[in-house]
Amino acid sequence: MNNLDKVSECLAELEKLYAVGDEEQKNFIASAFDNILNCSEITHNGFNLKKIEKVTNLPNRESLMADISHLKNEAMLIILHMNQIEAIKQLYGFEIAKKVIVDKSEKLNHLVKETEASLYSINLQKFAILVRERIFFDKYLSILQFSIFNNMESCTYCGDDGEDIITNFTAGVAHGTEHLHHTANVALQEAMISKENYKIYDSLPQCAILKKMTLNKHRVYKDALHEGYVVPYFQPIIDSRDDSVMKYEALARLLLPDGTIVAPYHFLNVALEDKTFEFFTRQMMQKVFNIYDKTSAEISMNLTYENIKSKTMLEYIKNRLEKYGGERITFEIVETEEIDDYAVVEDFILMIKEYGCKISIDDFGSGYSNFTNIIKLNIDFIKIDGLMITKLLSDEKARLMIQGLIHFAKNINIKTIAEFVSSKELSDCVKELGVDYIQGYYYGEPRDAEFYNLV
């Protein structure tokens, strides 16, 4: 056995000790790791122990720190802490804990695309996801919220006593180029203290657009609106029978002069509160119709109750339908507590049906839906509330409610759409329940019209 083989064997033993040690012992072992890994023979021979964590076979903390040190542009770091792993080691032993860790690492690896982000194992209790390009920040925040916190928490493991072992994550998120690991850890500690799923570090000096939005969201939105920077992105809606694309939903984004794409949660509340919201809706709608005119695809676009009770907005919609037709258009209306007069909704539906348009009720089941009123409306689709969909794999009550909604819809000949579907497991589940159409990151993320060959 050569010296490097001996070092490898030694480090494997240290890893086992680290897994079962207390905090003081872990600090000592971590120091020993650093001393061994930094010795000249290992460094000069290009020894790869510094790169890979042995249990998960993922890049380790050293690799993460090296990658962060080479960042030239703003990045996002998510640190994930496995909350129950210490208790699992104490109750069931290291081998069971290792199985849980490996399973979690494999599931995380499935969610992370190599071309977009990197997954690391910091230690046997923490993972990290490094997202290097701003265009993917929103996507991985969605994955954190709707896949990692919902779908992965449904995973159970069987202990020696036959009882199910359930694990979950707490996360810290940070943006920037400097001190990224430190600030993500600060956010993680804040999340653990406040017992929240995750926290985003609130001082983001490197994230120009977020800083602007924090200081003056209204100005950024107004500038974008008046300069014509509102653009439609599109997300496919899939037929559950054969996974073919049924239509595309148009989703609003702001495209700023520096190329930054701003997602709705940064500006939508400002838009809704502003008197220019109708102007915003018109700008978005016109750009969607421009694309609609160049494609044979069906397109869905969103309207609020505020939109459809505005006489000037209704005249604008009618004018656009007169010019472009509406046979391949679906209007999605969000079902909220703001709908105080369903006659207004009914009149709108009657008007757009004259042009061949279809109607979908968005966020159905979110807590405001009135089944009696829905039955009266001549609608074509019900889009089941996405937050309910994300709970399907972990919440039996959510499953039963969704099952009931689908059964209700089938009985009155209304098609159902499941949104926020971000994994194969969730896709299989909604198919099994009998949903007609599926939308979510598993099938395609929101991208511009060129990406989906719509123009």
Side-chain angles (χ1 to χ4, degrees):
M1 182 183 292
N2 62 35
N3 287 338
L4 293 182
D5 287 336
K6 290 177 182 177
V7 171
S8 180
E9 190 176 274
C10 173
L11 288 177
E13 290 302 315
L14 282 175
E15 281 186 348
K16 290 179 182 178
L17 291 172
Y18 182 92
V20 297
D22 59 29
E23 201 62 37
E24 186 176 348
Q25 290 167 332
K26 285 180 178 178
N27 288 336
F28 177 79
I29 292 167
S31 177
F33 258 91
D34 287 340
N35 289 335
I36 294 170
L37 291 173
N38 287 323
C39 80
S40 59
E41 182 179 353
I42 292 173
T43 305
H44 293 320
N45 281 280
F47 201 42
N48 204 34
L49 286 172
K50 224 174 166 180
K51 303 284 186 181
I52 301 297
E53 192 278 309
K54 297 297 183 181
V55 172
T56 61
N57 286 322
L58 290 172
N60 64 8
R61 182 182 182 278
E62 295 291 332
S63 183
L64 170 63
M65 300 307 288
D67 289 346
I68 290 175
S69 71
H70 292 114
L71 288 173
K72 290 187 172 36
N73 300 313
E74 176 199 354
M76 179 173 78
L77 181 65
I78 302 171
I79 295 182
L80 296 160
H81 180 274
M82 289 183 63
N83 297 318
Q84 294 84 5
I85 205 68
E86 289 296 332
I88 292 170
K89 282 188 284 190
Q90 291 174 15
L91 290 171
Y92 300 102
F94 178 66
E95 289 305 314
I96 294 293
K98 188 162 77 170
K99 287 181 182 178
V100 174
I101 293 164
V102 170
D103 183 74
K104 289 289 188 186
S105 71
E106 289 173 351
K107 286 182 167 62
L108 287 170
N109 214 10
H110 180 70
L111 294 172
V112 176
K113 285 188 180 179
E114 201 172 309
T115 55
E116 300 171 352
S118 300
L119 177 65
Y120 306 83
S121 178
I122 296 177
N123 56 41
L124 294 180
Q125 200 164 10
K126 286 182 183 177
F127 295 96
I129 300 172
L130 181 64
V131 187
R132 292 180 176 83
E133 294 185 44
R134 189 183 294 169
I135 190 175
F136 299 120
F137 288 2
D138 292 331
K139 174 178 180 178
Y140 281 88
L141 273 178
S142 295
I143 286 172
L144 177 67
Q145 294 167 320
F146 304 123
S147 292
I148 295 173
F149 286 138
N150 287 297
N151 299 346
M152 286 185 65
E153 287 185 7
S154 67
C155 304
T156 58
Y157 312 87
C158 190
D160 293 335
D161 55 4
E163 290 187 5
D164 286 340
I165 303 169
I166 301 176
T167 62
N168 60 16
F169 286 110
T170 301
V173 183
H175 303 77
T177 54
E178 297 179 355
H179 313 299
L180 196 56
H181 185 259
H182 170 72
T183 51
N185 263 315
V186 169
L188 173 62
Q189 294 305 314
E190 289 179 357
M192 294 177 75
I193 290 168
S194 62
K195 296 184 178 178
E196 296 183 42
N197 280 345
Y198 74 102
K199 282 275 193 181
I200 299 176
Y201 188 71
D202 62 4
S203 177
L204 309 175
Q206 299 298 321
C207 189
I209 180 58
L210 290 181
K211 186 161 83 171
K212 285 180 186 176
M213 300 301 274
T214 301
L215 296 174
N216 199 342
K217 288 183 179 181
H218 192 268
R219 181 176 59 79
V220 174
Y221 160 71
K222 276 287 189 70
D223 288 349
L225 182 63
H226 290 293
E227 294 297 329
Y229 297 151
V230 178
V231 297
Y233 265 37
F234 295 87
Q235 187 172 35
I237 298 175
I238 305 298
D239 192 319
S240 65
R241 296 169 299 181
D242 56 12
D243 287 355
S244 61
V245 176
M246 186 266 289
K247 62 180 173 182
Y248 294 88
E249 181 181 0
L251 301 161
R253 298 289 188 268
L254 302 185
L255 175 59
L256 301 188
D258 64 358
T260 300
I261 299 294
V262 184
Y265 62 76
H266 290 305
F267 66 84
L268 195 56
N269 286 339
V270 173
L272 289 168
E273 293 168 3
D274 195 276
K275 291 181 180 179
T276 60
F277 181 59
E278 185 171 315
F279 181 34
F280 164 81
T281 306
R282 289 187 184 207
Q283 189 175 139
M284 172 67 178
M285 186 175 287
Q286 182 56 59
K287 292 185 178 182
V288 172
F289 272 116
N290 289 343
I291 293 166
Y292 174 77
D293 196 39
K294 298 173 184 176
T295 181
S296 60
E298 293 195 23
I299 293 178
S300 178
M301 64 180 92
N302 295 284
L303 290 174
T304 66
Y305 178 61
E306 192 70 28
N307 289 143
I308 63 176
K309 72 178 185 179
S310 164
K311 290 182 180 179
T312 54
M313 189 68 209
L314 287 178
E315 285 301 315
Y316 179 80
I317 293 170
K318 189 172 182 179
N319 179 274
R320 297 300 86 188
L321 293 174
E322 290 278 1
K323 179 175 181 178
Y324 296 101
E327 293 80 7
R328 292 177 286 110
I329 289 288
T330 299
F331 288 105
E332 292 191 19
I333 304 171
V334 178
E335 168 74 348
T336 73
E337 76 277 19
E338 294 174 1
I339 300 180
D340 52 20
D341 186 355
Y342 274 85
V344 171
V345 181
E346 192 170 0
D347 288 345
F348 171 74
I349 292 173
L350 288 172
M351 185 270 285
I352 61 102
K353 288 278 184 177
E354 292 179 6
Y355 297 92
C357 301
K358 298 181 180 67
I359 282 287
S360 176
I361 299 297
D362 200 3
D363 291 345
F364 190 78
S366 59
Y368 309 114
S369 304
N370 185 315
F371 280 65
T372 304
N373 288 324
I374 294 300
I375 291 170
K376 291 178 184 176
L377 301 176
N378 182 17
I379 65 174
D380 303 281
F381 306 98
I382 286 172
K383 183 174 279 190
I384 302 169
D385 179 44
L387 292 178
M388 288 175 60
I389 294 292
T390 62
K391 295 177 181 177
L392 255 180
L393 300 177
S394 59
D395 187 335
E396 184 61 22
K397 289 181 181 178
R399 181 186 179 93
L400 291 172
M401 184 176 288
I402 291 169
Q403 196 170 30
L405 288 176
I406 293 171
H407 181 70
F408 160 75
K410 287 186 184 300
N411 284 340
I412 58 175
N413 296 315
I414 295 174
K415 300 295 185 183
T416 52
I417 302 171
E419 59 180 347
F420 289 13
V421 175
S422 56
S423 68
K424 184 179 186 303
E425 292 79 9
L426 206 47
S427 173
D428 290 343
C429 186
V430 295
K431 286 180 180 179
E432 182 185 333
L433 291 175
V435 78
D436 297 296
Y437 304 105
I438 307 173
Q439 180 178 0
Y441 275 104
Y442 179 66
Y443 289 99
E445 61 191 88
R447 299 294 291 267
D448 59 28
E450 287 81 4
F451 182 86
Y452 288 114
N453 297 316
L454 296 176
V455 292

